[in-house]
Every structure is written in structure tokens, then in C-alpha cells.
Amino acid sequence: MVTGVIKNKIDKIWTDIWAGGITNPLTVIEQLTYLMFIRSLDEKELEQEEFDHMTGSTGKRIFPASSTGQSMRWSRFKDRDPREIFDILSQKVFPAIKNMKNGSLPDFSENGEMIELSDPDEAENMEKTAFARYMEDAMFLIPTPQVLQKIITGLEDLYENDISELDMQGDLYEYMLGKLSTAGQNGQFRTPRQIREMMVELLRPTPDDTICDPACGTAGFLVSAAEYIRKNYEETMTTEQWDKFSNETFTGFDTDRTMLRISAMNLMLHSISNPEIDYLDSVSKQNQIKGKYSICLANPPFKGTIDAESINDDLKAVTKTKKTELLFVALFLRMMKKGGRCACIVPDGVLFGSSKAHKSIRQELVENHQLQAVISMPSGVFKPYAGVSTAVLVFIKTDAGGTDQVWFYDMKADGYSLDDKRGEIAENDIPDLIQRFHNMSSETERERTEQSFFVPKQEIVDNGYDLSINKYKKVEYIPVEYPPTSEILDELEQLNEQVTNELGQLRELLKEG
């Protein structure tokens, strides 16, 4: 858990960077991401050296054995003169990371030139890590040696005194991501942690699942799924399952390379060393993935820009539109295996929109697959990014129908205030929602006036596949009886008389004074 002390230390680092002229929160996080990654490389090297010393073996090294290569290690440069640190990072470490392959950094010659691998074929076959793949167009933007030294000192203080476990690193990064208060260039924004965890709890992933977020942003959904699996299966997972967990279980796509760098780092801090994080416009013709994943978790962009000509024909066959919120629902169905499960966030317009494209995607879910739940969320959930009303759709890909009835839940609170500050409050429907979802047998007798209820498929069909909760929820009006008008007038006269008397008493007191 990130305590107040840790938050204050992170805020101090943040302030130092802002004072240096970097005011975009995304850029701040990106620069901190680079430094955290550089430090993590040295930690891995130290662990390998300790292991080699204990076993007498010689494992693979990240840093070259030369003096220049060893000078790039965090532990070797962190206490040097600020100008030296700045030169080492900007001229050596940063360029080396951008060319990192197979987990190793390149070396430099005495005149400062990067040494290429001697065998061109070997260089071509070497693979870059998920993080290193998206470093090629990264820029080192920390302006001065003094600002850099303050950041390094602040990070060292955090790591030395406050961060002792892997989970804490992830929590720290989550707190930093929480400072993103504006949407990205394609309308993507960070989904609140409690909403992500709720959606993961609804699907309950296992170590045998393959999980994808085709609009991953900062990889929050993948991180929440990873945390759930570790929490519930850590003691029983096999070696093969752990290997799959680190390399194959999690896949994310995005069209923003900055987001890809941040998401790869976020996953690395949660023990997922080599996730499948790729640059891909998921709804375009480039994406040919079909029937691959057992779980999809996503909050796709609602106002993404897309070229109509580039949209995958498979998706247009389901819903002919340029609206990304509709195309992504069709995409989930295509990318999942038969029996695959999805929990995704959609704007309310998807639930009741009257266009042919809106109706066709809803009809597809209800008629050809199993739509399990529609969870209506309060409009302030995504503040301060946006005030749009949203819902969570939960469905199973069957290709053979299966929707007999749909469960609706009216979420009114998520444990946080619904204003721009989003402070913690006592009211929280999420535990109740999860408990009800996983005990559907006790939901069948609920009335439409309650917070959750079932609606038969035929009723939804008769309403043009409308999935908005207000279409089916009944409001219970409690009659209020008021006294006769004559009694109200008598009461008003008595009050006026009382006011007149008290004003008279006040005047007498003033005269006496």
C-alpha cells in the first residue's frame, strides 16, 4: 500500500521535474519510467552476480564487462558528480537501452561510439524485450544535471527505505499513473483501479487463461488480471504456468508508442517480464487475430479517429460503422476463442443508440452469443477525464446464442466521490455487485424496483434490443399525504405571530440597552 509518506516523496520528485520545465504528466511518467527501468537492470545484474558467486557459475550479463559498460550501472554512477551522471545517462545508458537485445546492452568504444555486434546475422536474430522495442523513438528530456540528481536522489530514497517488495513497486507506479488527469491523443484514459478489479473479479481469470486488452493504454487491466491470478493461484501454479504467466498469458495492443512503453514497464514491475505488447490498430485490416484469447478485458476509446478504408471487413460485417466503441465490441467477439469471456466498458449510447450499427451489435450479442450482464455505472466514474455515462457489458462468445435472460445492475457508488476530486467515501456497491453476479440463482425473484434484476430475452428483443437499464427498471413511487390547505395556512399564521412577538421582544431589549 502506498502510504502518505511515500506519496509525499513521489510528489516531491514530481515537483522537482515540474520545476525543471516538464509539465505534461505523461512526459513526467515516461521519464521516470526510463530511470526506474535503468535501476531495475542493475538490480537484476546484482542478483545474477550473487547467484553466480554462490553457485560458481557464470550467467548471462546485462552490462558489458568493460569499464565503460560497468559505468552504465545505476549503482556505479548514482553517487557521482551531477554532470557526470547526466553525461553517462544521456550519452551512454539511454542510447544503449534503445539498442538492447536479448537482455544485453551494447558496449562503447574508447571514443564513445556504440559497438555493433560483429555478426550481422546474429544481430538480426536477436530479440528485444517488450520495453526495449518501444524505446527506439524515445527521448531523454530531463533538462539539467541538477534536476536529474534530485530525481535520482528521490528514487533512491524511495527504493532504499520504502519499497521492499515487487507489489510495492507496482503500487508506486499505479499512484504515478493516477496523476494522469487528461485523456490521451485517441481518447484513451486510465480506468480507475477499483473498476478494473471489479471487472476482473467478474471474470475470475486462471493461470490457464490467455488474456488480451486490444486497447491497453497503461496496461491497467492486464496488471489487475495478473494480480488476481497471483493472489489466488500463486501457491499452486506449476513451473510451466509461471513461464506462461511471464511470457504468453498477457497481450496488449495500442497505437500510442508512449503508452506501449509505459504499459511494458507497468507489467515488468508486476513480474511479467516479456508480455506481448505490440503497436497495432486493433480494428484495422492489420489485425487478423481470430479465436486466440480466452478473456478480453478492455475500456476501448470512445472517440477514436479511424480511417473508414482501414477498418477490418470482418468487423464491418457485424456493425457497419466508424464508431470505435461499436467496432471494439465486434473485435472482442472475433479475437476470443469459442467459450471466451469478455468484460468491457461502453458508453451508454451503445446500449440504446437507434442507428442500424448500434442495433446490429446489440442483436449480435443477444442472438448469437450469451450476454450475461449489463452493469450501469454512475456518470462520475471517469472524472476528471470525462463525465460520460458508461456501462460494463459481460458476455460469452458461443456462436450459437444462449442468451435466455440478461442480468441488470444499477451501480450508484464505487467507493469514491463522483466529483473531480474522487475522494474515498463509505458508499460502495462493488462488493455487493460481485457477490450477486456470482450467485445468480438468488437473483431470479428480484423485482424491477431493486438494484439488480433479470430481464427475459424476448422482452429485450421486443424493445429493439435496447439494453439501457432505465428501459426496464421500475421506479417505486411512495405517495406522500399532505395536511389540508386550511391547516397549512393556520400554521403559517402561528409562525408569523411568533416572529412578530419575538421581534417586539428584541426591540424592547434594544431600548433597555
Side-chain angles (χ1 to χ4, degrees):
M1 181 179 177
V2 178
T3 63
V5 173
I6 296 175
K7 287 179 181 180
N8 290 339
K9 289 182 178 181
I10 296 171
D11 293 345
K12 172 66 169 60
I13 296 171
W14 202 276
T15 302
D16 289 337
I17 299 175
W18 274 50
I22 302 175
T23 56
N24 183 337
L26 193 58
T27 306
V28 174
I29 290 174
E30 190 176 22
Q31 298 302 304
L32 286 173
T33 295
Y34 302 152
L35 294 175
M36 290 170 73
F37 179 66
I38 290 164
R39 191 184 188 284
S40 73
L41 291 179
D42 191 32
E43 283 200 331
K44 286 184 179 179
E45 190 84 326
L46 289 168
E47 288 173 7
Q48 184 63 50
E49 287 173 347
E50 187 176 342
F51 179 80
D52 289 350
H53 179 72
M54 289 172 61
T55 60
S57 59
T58 305
K60 185 179 177 182
R61 291 288 190 264
I62 297 172
F63 295 88
S66 67
S67 58
T68 302
Q70 292 299 297
S71 72
M72 293 192 291
R73 297 176 62 169
W74 181 279
S75 57
R76 305 286 173 87
F77 66 67
K78 67 183 176 69
D79 296 320
R80 292 192 177 191
D81 180 84
R83 288 167 295 183
E84 282 188 79
I85 298 173
F86 192 86
D87 287 342
I88 291 168
L89 275 170
S90 60
Q91 303 301 317
K92 298 285 192 303
V93 184
F94 203 72
I97 290 173
K98 294 171 76 165
N99 289 273
M100 186 177 186
K101 294 176 183 176
N102 274 15
S104 297
L105 296 172
D107 203 353
F108 288 81
S109 63
E110 290 184 6
N111 60 8
E113 292 183 0
M114 192 180 297
I115 300 172
E116 298 290 336
L117 291 168
S118 57
D119 184 350
D121 293 329
E122 183 185 353
E124 194 168 326
N125 291 329
M126 294 181 92
E127 294 183 2
K128 293 190 174 185
T129 64
F131 184 78
R133 281 203 305 273
Y134 300 106
M135 285 293 292
E136 291 173 359
D137 57 351
M139 297 178 67
F140 187 73
L141 297 176
I142 295 171
T144 65
Q146 289 72 29
V147 171
L148 179 60
Q149 186 186 39
K150 286 180 180 179
I151 299 169
I152 288 175
T153 301
L155 286 175
E156 272 300 286
D157 182 28
L158 273 171
Y159 278 98
E160 291 290 331
N161 300 310
D162 303 293
I163 303 175
S164 57
E165 298 175 357
L166 182 68
D167 288 341
M168 182 58 75
Q169 290 190 64
D171 288 345
L172 179 147
Y173 205 66
E174 182 75 27
Y175 175 70
M176 291 200 304
L177 292 175
K179 289 177 174 287
L180 293 177
S181 58
T182 55
Q185 62 184 16
N186 291 320
Q188 78 272 43
F189 44 76
R190 179 178 164 272
T191 307
R193 187 172 191 167
Q194 70 275 13
I195 301 298
R196 299 191 328 248
E197 290 176 350
M198 174 193 81
M199 292 166 65
V200 170
E201 284 275 2
L202 293 175
L203 299 189
R204 291 183 174 174
T206 73
D208 296 320
D209 279 310
T210 47
I211 303 167
C212 179
D213 180 353
C216 68
T218 61
F221 279 106
L222 301 180
V223 165
S224 292
E227 288 177 336
Y228 179 88
I229 291 172
R230 287 177 61 207
K231 177 183 175 183
N232 291 278
Y233 297 95
E234 189 166 20
E235 295 181 3
T236 59
M237 284 171 66
T238 64
T239 304
E240 291 76 13
Q241 286 174 325
W242 276 116
D243 184 62
K244 181 174 180 283
F245 181 90
S246 298
N247 297 284
E248 303 166 30
T249 297
F250 304 98
T251 299
F253 303 123
D254 208 287
T255 55
D256 186 330
R257 295 180 74 89
T258 297
M259 289 293 181
L260 290 168
R261 283 192 287 272
I262 289 174
S263 62
M265 179 67 181
N266 201 6
L267 288 164
M268 283 173 58
L269 290 174
H270 288 84
S271 73
I272 303 160
S273 56
N274 193 30
E276 186 72 23
I277 299 294
D278 287 316
Y279 181 92
L280 183 68
D281 184 348
S282 294
V283 296
S284 72
K285 292 174 181 175
Q286 294 175 311
N287 182 6
Q288 297 295 325
I289 299 171
K290 296 180 182 179
K292 183 174 181 180
Y293 305 104
S294 60
I295 284 181
C296 276
L297 286 157
N299 179 11
F302 299 163
K303 294 182 180 178
T305 56
I306 186 164
D307 177 17
E309 295 297 317
S310 70
I311 300 171
N312 194 293
D313 293 333
D314 291 346
L315 307 183
K316 287 192 283 188
V318 177
T319 176
K320 195 170 184 180
T321 181
K322 290 195 292 183
K323 291 183 177 295
T324 52
E325 62 264 35
L326 301 179
L327 292 169
F328 267 95
V329 176
L331 176 72
F332 302 142
L333 291 169
R334 195 194 74 191
M335 293 179 72
M336 288 193 300
K337 300 174 181 177
K338 199 169 182 178
R341 297 165 295 142
C342 177
C344 66
I345 296 171
V346 296
D348 271 4
V350 172
L351 307 179
F352 57 77
S354 58
S355 74
K356 187 176 179 182
H358 282 87
K359 287 182 178 178
S360 63
I361 195 65
R362 297 196 300 264
Q363 182 176 355
E364 176 72 16
L365 288 173
V366 172
E367 296 291 353
N368 298 329
H369 306 279
Q370 184 182 356
L371 177 60
Q372 291 182 291
V374 178
I375 298 162
S376 174
M377 295 195 291
S379 59
V381 163
F382 289 108
K383 285 187 175 181
Y385 306 106
V388 62
S389 294
T390 56
V392 175
L393 296 180
V394 184
F395 54 89
I396 301 172
K397 177 179 178 177
T398 65
D399 289 329
T403 305
D404 297 321
Q405 54 186 358
V406 178
W407 185 68
F408 285 80
Y409 189 98
D410 187 10
M411 186 205 294
K412 297 172 183 175
D414 68 341
Y416 293 82
S417 61
L418 299 173
D419 53 20
D420 286 350
K421 292 183 179 179
R422 293 288 276 152
E424 282 194 60
I425 59 173
E427 292 78 18
N428 186 1
D429 290 331
I430 291 176
D432 175 65
L433 187 159
I434 293 167
Q435 191 275 331
R436 292 192 191 196
F437 181 84
H438 290 296
N439 292 276
M440 288 294 192
S441 59
S442 61
E443 294 290 295
T444 54
E445 301 301 319
R446 290 193 185 275
E447 299 293 329
R448 298 282 179 92
T449 54
E450 297 187 58
Q451 199 161 3
S452 65
F453 52 84
F454 276 115
V455 176
K457 173 189 171 185
Q458 191 57 50
E459 187 176 345
I460 292 171
V461 174
D462 293 343
N463 280 293
Y465 298 98
D466 193 315
L467 296 175
S468 56
I469 193 167
N470 292 332
K471 190 76 174 178
Y472 307 102
K473 189 176 177 67
K474 291 180 180 176
V475 179
E476 192 172 14
Y477 294 100
I478 301 172
V480 178
E481 290 189 14
Y482 295 98
T485 307
S486 59
E487 287 186 22
I488 296 174
L489 288 171
D490 289 343
E491 191 176 339
L492 285 171
E493 285 179 0
Q494 290 173 9
L495 288 170
N496 281 330
E497 187 178 338
Q498 184 181 343
V499 169
T500 302
N501 290 335
E502 290 178 356
L503 283 171
Q505 292 173 15
L506 183 59
R507 283 194 183 95
E508 291 298 321
L509 288 170
L510 289 170
K511 286 178 183 179
E512 291 174 6

